[in-house]
Amino acid sequence: MTDESLPVEHLSPLAILVDEVLAEVGYEMTVAVDVIDDAVPGFGGLFDPTTTRAELRDALEDLLASELTRPPLLEPNGDSFVLYVDGSSRGNPGPAGAGAVIMDASEEQLANLGRPVGSHAGNNTAEYVALRLGLSELLTRYEPHSLEVRIDSMTVIRDVWEGNDPTEPGVETYSEAVEAALSSVPEHRYTHLADNDPNPADALATVGADIAGFGP
């Protein structure tokens, strides 16, 4: 795994700039929102309706020209991890986002990740991107021996763990990357989340979808 930005579906130029800031800080959603809010003049911010698109674009370009750094790694308890993932699409397809939360075996949160997926993407694509996002950052930051992925998408579960061919058009790149990432984790399994099960990645995916809705 590298520090290079992960690929995205179609996004507006403004949403792409936000995603580039996210990539610079390791897709830590709260960190990215805070630095963007600090960079916007006045009392505006990333989601403040008083922030003009021109102000936001200038702030994002200034941030990308600066030396943004990833936040320091949090020390895990052991080499076993839990990964929550979730995707969100408004309209299915529509503005979509991905979220992932990395925890250690004691379920202490180590990373809260999010990003926009696309301005016209489906739920299953968003779920794949969320899984790839979480795995990529997990392997960039740590050396997991065992991993439990907690996910609500039966489509992704069937494709990734039960050996089905991908049923969502255009997700082959994501599914291949997910397969390669999981192959480097000696022990991994999934837990299917029911609709009413708590998923801390859900809110991150929702913010990602909000960003994906930015334009132009």
Side-chain angles (χ1 to χ4, degrees):
M1 295 293 166
T2 71
D3 288 340
E4 294 179 1
S5 301
L6 297 173
V8 293
E9 304 294 309
H10 174 76
L11 290 168
S12 73
L14 187 59
I16 287 172
L17 287 174
V18 179
D19 192 62
E20 289 175 354
V21 171
L22 280 161
E24 290 291 317
V25 297
Y27 297 98
E28 291 279 0
M29 182 63 81
T30 301
V31 174
V33 172
D34 285 348
V35 298
I36 292 169
D37 286 353
D38 288 345
V40 172
F43 297 99
L46 180 62
F47 296 112
D48 191 315
T50 65
T51 303
T52 69
R53 289 294 180 258
E55 288 173 332
L56 182 53
R57 186 174 292 105
D58 288 345
L60 293 168
E61 290 174 347
D62 287 345
L63 283 172
L64 290 168
S66 67
E67 294 186 2
L68 286 171
T69 58
R70 287 170 169 253
L73 287 182
L74 297 178
E75 194 67 31
N77 179 15
D79 59 2
S80 296
F81 295 85
V82 174
L83 175 63
Y84 279 93
V85 296
D86 198 26
S88 173
S89 173
R90 298 202 180 102
N92 193 28
V101 174
I102 300 172
M103 298 180 174
D104 64 16
S106 61
E107 302 204 14
E108 289 292 322
Q109 292 192 9
L110 303 172
N112 293 278
L113 314 172
R115 65 175 309 199
V117 172
S119 58
H120 194 71
N123 276 324
N124 288 329
T125 298
E127 293 277 356
Y128 263 112
V129 174
L131 181 54
R132 180 174 184 188
L133 171 63
L135 290 171
S136 177
E137 284 300 316
L138 174 65
L139 293 173
T140 295
R141 301 174 189 215
Y142 304 110
E143 296 182 2
H145 178 78
S146 65
L147 172 65
E148 177 191 359
V149 177
R150 298 179 182 174
I151 182 172
D152 64 10
S153 172
M154 282 305 303
T155 297
V156 176
I157 288 172
R158 284 192 293 264
D159 293 352
V160 172
W161 281 277
E162 297 180 4
N164 290 7
D165 291 332
T167 52
E168 181 84 359
V171 299
E172 290 81 8
T173 299
Y174 301 119
S175 63
E176 290 170 3
V178 164
E179 182 179 357
L182 287 173
S183 70
S184 67
V185 182
E187 299 174 7
H188 60 83
R189 67 189 189 280
Y190 72 86
T191 295
H192 177 240
L193 299 176
D195 289 342
N196 59 347
D197 287 333
N199 186 345
D202 174 71
L204 297 161
T206 298
V207 177
D210 290 340
I211 295 168
F214 287 170

